[in-house]
Amino acid sequence: MMRLFSPRKTTLLFVIRDKTRTPLENLEPVLREDIQKIWDSVPKPQAHKETPLSEFFNVEVVALSSYEEKEEQFKDQVASLRQRFHHSIAPGGLAGDRRGVVPASGFSFSSEHIWKVIKENKDLDLPAHKVMVATVRCEEIANEKYVSFVANEDWCQLEEAVQSGPIPGFGKKLSSLLDICFSEYDAEATYFDEGVRSSKQKQLQEKLFQLVQPAFQSALGHIRSGTLDKFKEAFDKTLKGGEGFSVAANNCIGSCMVQFDEACTDVVIEQTNWDTSKVREKLLRDIDAHVATVRATKISELTSSYEEKLKQALSGPVEALLDGANSDTWPSIRNLFRRETESAVSGFSAALTGFDMDEETRQKIILSLEDYARGLVEGKAREEAGRVLIRMKDRFTMLFSHDSDSMPRVWTGKEDIRAITKTARSSSLKLLSVMAAIRLDDDDTDNIEKVLAVALVDSSPNSNATRSMTMVDPLASSSWEQVSSSKTLITPVQCKSLWRQFKTETEYSVSQAISAQEANKRNNNWLPPPWAIVALVILGFNEFMTLLRNPLYLGVIFVGFLLIKALWVQLDVSGEFRNGALPGIISLSSKFIPTIMNLMKKLAEEGQNPAANNPQRTPSKSSYNEGHAVSSSASSNLTRLDNGTEYASPLKDE
């Protein structure tokens, strides 16, 4: 009305029936507030955006009493209100200010203006009667067909079945149902306005397409997931057949995408032009993701395989080379490292060619394998460096306690313990210098061995005192010259501490060797001095002549010698006194009585056996046999070492 007519006031009269005790003054503000809200929400032309409600409407509120309770008062109030309508065109009446009233002479012009505004504004142009009928009826037919399609049993079964899996001929079945629905709509709406019929048919199509699109997407989803599963199975089977990774991936992708396109043709709905390219792209992304995952897994397995080969090829040999550390240790390790790394990298690079990757990625993976090999050698070196003190003590013990033929060394008194100790310690120092730093590169040169030799071995108290006054201790540092911290295994300070501990723990072996050598010397000097021998000869001449005149004494002395010799062998007197005089005396005192008893028992048994076998023999012959048996028994228990020291072997009875 605002677009058709100029602004004029219209009275809005609100009549409240059956007024209660609530005063009208309280009801009227609430009603006016609601009307104002309605006015604010109404869309207005640009010229009247800010026009207040009072410019167009006079809002009045009248209250009438209850007819049931106050009939007379109600009738009076109604009669008063009726009079206001009778006099509505009077000044101040219900008809308003009448500013928009057009005189009869201007009616023709006013009507033309109103008609022009209506034609220019479609929302003011009421449709023709047949259009209105066609709109209502076609919409009813479209709704009926939509409801009929939703309730169609074939559609319900198709919709339910497509949720659980792919359906052969899905597109044809659904296209047939939609075609029947659209044909029925056309048959019933054929006599209505063509424009309205086409418009409502299009709306029906949109609603039905929205209804069936989830089922269509489910069918596509089943095709996509099925194709992806087939690709995974075919790809895995092809890889197990030994075909190259890239060739297998490309072949499987090509065949699977052909199968997907054929399957999509089977689910396409004829009435729609829905594009399956997004699902196809999603399938390709999933396939690429699976290929990337398999590629990463295969490369990881391949890398682990070559890393394991490197570990087996490097760990044991490097450990053995470091255990036998010498001047050629690190050159040998370098040669071993290069040979095994080049062999592994060559095979690894050849295996990577089938994975169709860019050169940068390929070089990065190969570099990681080389870094692993270097880290393996360095890790083994650090591990061995942590056990360097044990290795040094083992090497010292091996060289100090064994001769050049690897036989246990017997300290007879002829060995130069000082020279042997120096040789063993020098070899242990060589081991320490080898383990002090990593030397895997050709340009890794240092003077660690020389510094250690000067500071730890080639030093005497006088030279130490002189050097302390003239120069600083070369081992009083936390780093080596020409050696980076990353390649340092044992710092100079640590070397000095390890050497001090090494010397402390090996001094006991040296002192034991010296003690054993001195004890051996004492044991070998069992003869009295020459002057004592001369004195015995001079002073014992008469006794010697007495023995010559009485041969029976010689027999008694010989038997006594045999008995003493047997006791000497059985008690292992020389062996017992090697650990000292007091321990030897205590040990011999505890073994003396059992040994005497054992000899007496042995002599008794030897005496009885000949008597039982030959009782007619003479006593003198029997005595001779007993003495001979004792001599044989005693001599049979003596064993002689290469150096001349005798020791006792156990009897057969024992």
Side-chain angles (χ1 to χ4, degrees):
M1 293 296 291
M2 285 189 293
R3 281 181 284 181
L4 293 177
F5 306 101
S6 60
R8 62 180 180 179
K9 284 192 176 182
T10 300
T11 301
L12 298 178
L13 179 62
F14 293 88
V15 181
I16 300 176
R17 289 287 305 272
D18 300 334
K19 176 180 174 296
T20 60
R21 294 181 181 180
T22 304
L24 182 61
E25 292 78 7
N26 294 343
L27 297 174
E28 185 175 354
V30 177
L31 188 59
R32 287 181 178 275
E33 183 179 353
D34 292 339
I35 294 170
Q36 184 64 41
K37 290 180 181 179
I38 295 173
W39 172 257
D40 293 338
S41 63
V42 171
K44 309 175 186 64
Q46 189 65 32
H48 299 287
K49 284 287 186 182
E50 304 298 331
T51 303
L53 175 66
S54 58
E55 288 289 327
F56 290 92
F57 300 98
N58 287 325
V59 181
E60 295 186 13
V61 182
V62 176
L64 299 179
S65 300
S66 174
Y67 178 79
E68 298 291 338
E69 297 177 359
K70 301 177 181 179
E71 182 179 353
E72 294 298 331
Q73 187 177 358
F74 174 78
K75 290 180 179 180
D76 293 341
Q77 292 173 348
V78 170
S80 175
L81 185 60
R82 186 183 299 116
Q83 290 298 321
R84 293 189 63 183
F85 277 93
H86 287 169
H87 303 285
S88 60
I89 61 174
L94 293 177
D97 56 7
R98 299 182 61 81
R99 285 181 299 173
V101 176
V102 178
S105 59
F107 177 75
S108 175
F109 177 78
S110 177
S111 299
E112 291 178 358
H113 176 71
I114 291 173
W115 185 250
K116 181 180 178 182
V117 173
I118 290 174
K119 290 181 68 176
E120 292 176 353
N121 295 269
K122 296 296 182 181
D123 55 341
L124 301 177
D125 188 7
L126 296 178
H129 177 70
K130 68 172 185 177
V131 175
M132 293 178 63
V133 173
T135 301
V136 174
R137 188 69 187 109
C138 289
E139 186 170 354
E140 290 177 351
I141 296 172
N143 291 335
E144 290 174 1
K145 298 308 171 185
Y146 179 80
V147 173
S148 175
F149 183 88
V150 171
N152 186 286
E153 184 177 355
D154 294 337
W155 158 246
C156 293
Q157 293 177 357
L158 193 65
E159 183 182 24
E160 183 178 358
V162 79
Q163 301 300 325
S164 57
I167 300 175
F170 174 82
K172 293 181 179 179
K173 293 178 181 179
L174 190 53
S175 297
S176 177
L177 293 175
L178 290 173
D179 189 57
I180 293 173
C181 182
F182 295 147
S183 298
E184 291 177 353
Y185 171 83
D186 290 337
E188 295 185 23
T190 185
Y191 298 108
F192 294 101
D193 183 76
E194 183 179 358
V196 176
R197 184 177 73 245
S198 300
S199 175
K200 295 303 177 181
Q201 186 184 38
K202 186 176 181 181
Q203 293 179 7
L204 175 62
Q205 288 178 348
E206 291 177 354
K207 290 177 66 177
L208 289 176
F209 291 164
Q210 290 178 358
L211 176 67
V212 302
Q213 188 174 24
F216 174 74
Q217 293 296 334
S218 297
L220 283 180
H222 291 310
I223 294 174
R224 182 187 63 80
S225 59
T227 305
L228 181 61
D229 293 338
K230 290 179 181 178
F231 169 80
K232 292 179 179 178
E233 182 179 356
F235 186 47
D236 186 56
K237 184 177 180 180
T238 306
L239 289 178
K240 289 181 179 178
E243 192 169 351
F245 186 89
S246 299
V247 176
N250 293 331
N251 293 339
C252 291
I253 290 174
S255 62
C256 288
M257 294 312 298
V258 171
Q259 296 176 11
F260 175 78
D261 293 336
E262 293 176 354
C264 285
T265 305
D266 188 53
V267 300
V268 169
I269 301 172
E270 297 176 359
Q271 293 83 356
T272 65
N273 57 350
W274 289 336
D275 188 12
T276 60
S277 60
K278 291 185 178 180
V279 181
R280 195 176 194 277
E281 292 174 358
K282 177 69 166 58
L283 175 61
L284 281 174
R285 289 197 299 270
D286 292 342
I287 290 177
D288 290 341
H290 178 71
V291 171
T293 302
V294 175
R295 179 188 290 110
T297 303
K298 293 294 183 182
I299 292 177
S300 178
E301 293 175 355
L302 189 64
T303 304
S304 300
S305 173
Y306 277 91
E307 286 179 353
E308 184 63 26
K309 291 180 181 178
L310 280 173
K311 185 176 182 181
Q312 294 178 359
L314 292 176
S315 295
V318 169
E319 183 176 353
L321 288 171
L322 291 175
D323 186 25
N326 52 47
S327 301
D328 296 330
T329 296
W330 281 109
S332 300
I333 292 176
R334 278 198 298 269
N335 295 334
L336 174 68
F337 168 73
R338 289 173 183 168
R339 182 176 66 254
E340 297 299 336
T341 302
E342 289 175 359
S343 175
V345 167
S346 176
F348 188 58
S349 178
L352 288 178
T353 55
F355 286 94
D356 191 20
M357 61 178 64
D358 58 278
E359 185 64 23
E360 183 179 356
T361 305
R362 181 170 169 273
Q363 291 299 328
K364 185 177 180 181
I365 296 175
I366 292 175
L367 184 61
S368 67
L369 183 65
E370 294 176 351
D371 292 340
Y372 174 81
R374 177 176 288 272
L376 190 65
V377 175
E378 292 181 356
K380 182 58 66 174
R382 296 184 187 279
E383 180 182 344
E384 292 299 317
R387 299 197 293 261
V388 66
L389 181 60
I390 299 175
R391 299 290 190 191
M392 291 169 64
K393 291 191 294 183
D394 291 344
R395 175 169 291 193
F396 177 85
T397 302
M398 176 60 67
L399 296 177
F400 185 76
S401 301
H402 296 75
D403 56 17
S404 58
D405 297 328
S406 299
M407 297 296 293
R409 196 186 298 275
V410 179
W411 304 104
T412 62
K414 301 177 182 179
E415 297 82 4
D416 187 354
I417 295 180
R418 182 181 297 277
I420 295 173
T421 302
K422 185 175 181 180
T423 302
R425 286 180 176 174
S426 298
S427 181
S428 299
L429 186 69
K430 178 68 177 180
L431 173 64
L432 180 61
S433 66
V434 170
M435 297 300 301
I438 297 173
R439 306 171 180 89
L440 270 182
D441 299 321
D442 292 333
D443 56 349
D444 289 338
T445 57
D446 55 72
N447 58 347
I448 295 177
E449 183 179 0
K450 182 178 179 181
V451 172
L452 291 177
V454 171
L456 300 177
V457 177
D458 300 336
S459 59
S460 62
N462 295 332
S463 61
N464 284 339
T466 304
R467 187 171 67 246
S468 63
M469 297 173 61
T470 58
M471 61 180 296
V472 181
D473 185 0
L475 298 182
S477 174
S478 60
S479 61
W480 300 100
E481 292 183 5
Q482 301 177 347
V483 179
S484 63
S485 59
S486 61
K487 295 183 178 181
T488 300
L489 298 177
I490 307 173
T491 63
V493 174
Q494 291 173 339
C495 286
K496 188 174 183 179
S497 176
L498 287 171
W499 184 256
R500 186 183 299 112
Q501 185 177 356
F502 164 75
K503 289 185 66 176
T504 302
E505 295 182 8
T506 55
E507 282 178 355
Y508 177 75
S509 299
V510 178
S511 62
Q512 285 294 100
I514 295 174
S515 299
Q517 195 178 60
E518 292 176 353
N520 199 348
K521 288 180 180 179
R522 288 196 302 269
N523 291 334
N524 291 334
N525 294 333
W526 56 275
L527 292 175
W531 61 268
I533 295 175
V534 173
L536 287 174
V537 171
I538 296 173
L539 296 176
F541 180 76
N542 295 332
E543 288 74 6
F544 178 70
M545 295 303 296
T546 302
L547 291 175
L548 292 178
R549 295 190 188 99
N550 299 289
L552 183 61
Y553 289 160
L554 290 176
V556 173
I557 292 172
F558 180 71
V559 172
F561 170 75
L562 292 178
L563 291 174
I564 293 172
K565 184 66 175 179
L567 282 174
W568 183 278
V569 172
Q570 290 292 322
L571 293 175
D572 190 16
V573 176
S574 60
E576 295 294 341
F577 277 95
R578 286 176 184 172
N579 298 325
L582 182 60
I585 293 173
I586 295 173
S587 178
L588 290 176
S589 63
S590 63
K591 293 167 58 179
F592 183 76
I593 299 300
T595 304
I596 292 294
M597 297 299 295
N598 189 23
L599 285 176
M600 296 299 293
K601 181 179 178 181
K602 192 73 176 177
L603 290 173
E605 291 177 355
E606 292 291 337
Q608 290 176 359
N609 289 336
N613 294 332
N614 192 6
Q616 296 180 355
R617 290 190 177 184
T618 59
S620 61
K621 188 69 175 179
S622 175
S623 300
Y624 173 77
N625 289 335
E626 290 178 4
H628 182 72
V630 171
S631 176
S632 300
S633 175
S635 61
S636 64
N637 290 298
L638 292 176
T639 305
R640 185 173 297 274
L641 291 174
D642 293 340
N643 57 7
T645 302
E646 295 179 352
Y647 67 92
S649 62
L651 293 172
K652 294 181 181 179
D653 293 344
E654 295 175 344

